[in-house]
Amino acid sequence: MSHPCHKKQIPSINRIEGQIRGIARMIEEENYCVDILNQIKAVRKSIASVEGKILKTHLHQCVKDSLNNSEDFDEKVEEIMKILKR
C-alpha cells in the first residue's frame, strides 16, 4: 500500500517551528506570562489544524482503500481509535 503525500503541510510545519522559536525567545526575554500563553495556544491550534488535515487525508485515502479488505479496514479503524485516545 502506498502512503499519501503530506508535503503541502510543510509550510505550516515550518511556520509552527518559527512560532516555537518565538515562544522560546519570549521566555528568554521574560515576557509577560499571558503573552507567552497566547502564543502557546496559537501553536496548539496550528498543530491541531495540520493534524486534522493529515487525518482527513488518511480517512479519504488509506481507510477508503482498505474498504476492499475487511481485515485491513478493521486494522485501520483500530489505528485511528488508538490515535484518538492519546
Side-chain angles (χ1 to χ4, degrees):
M1 179 172 135
S2 66
H3 299 285
C5 179
H6 298 288
K7 289 183 180 180
K8 60 186 171 188
Q9 299 306 320
I10 296 296
S12 295
I13 295 296
N14 290 337
R15 196 167 25 262
I16 292 166
E17 183 180 21
Q19 288 176 299
I20 295 291
R21 281 193 305 270
I23 291 168
R25 190 170 39 256
M26 291 175 78
I27 292 170
E28 288 172 356
E29 294 172 358
E30 299 180 0
N31 286 48
Y32 184 54
C33 303
V34 173
D35 293 338
I36 296 169
L37 291 169
N38 281 329
Q39 290 304 309
I40 291 170
K41 185 74 170 174
V43 167
R44 290 176 61 171
K45 186 174 179 180
S46 297
I47 290 171
S49 176
V50 170
E51 177 185 27
K53 290 172 185 173
I54 292 174
L55 177 59
K56 182 177 180 178
T57 300
H58 178 66
L59 291 171
H60 280 283
Q61 293 184 22
C62 301
V63 174
K64 186 178 177 182
D65 289 348
S66 72
L67 289 174
N68 296 328
N69 182 332
S70 63
E71 216 173 277
D72 286 347
F73 179 74
D74 291 340
E75 183 180 313
K76 297 295 180 198
V77 169
E78 286 302 314
E79 286 176 343
I80 292 170
M81 294 305 295
K82 285 180 186 177
I83 290 169
L84 295 176
K85 286 181 182 180
R86 289 183 192 160

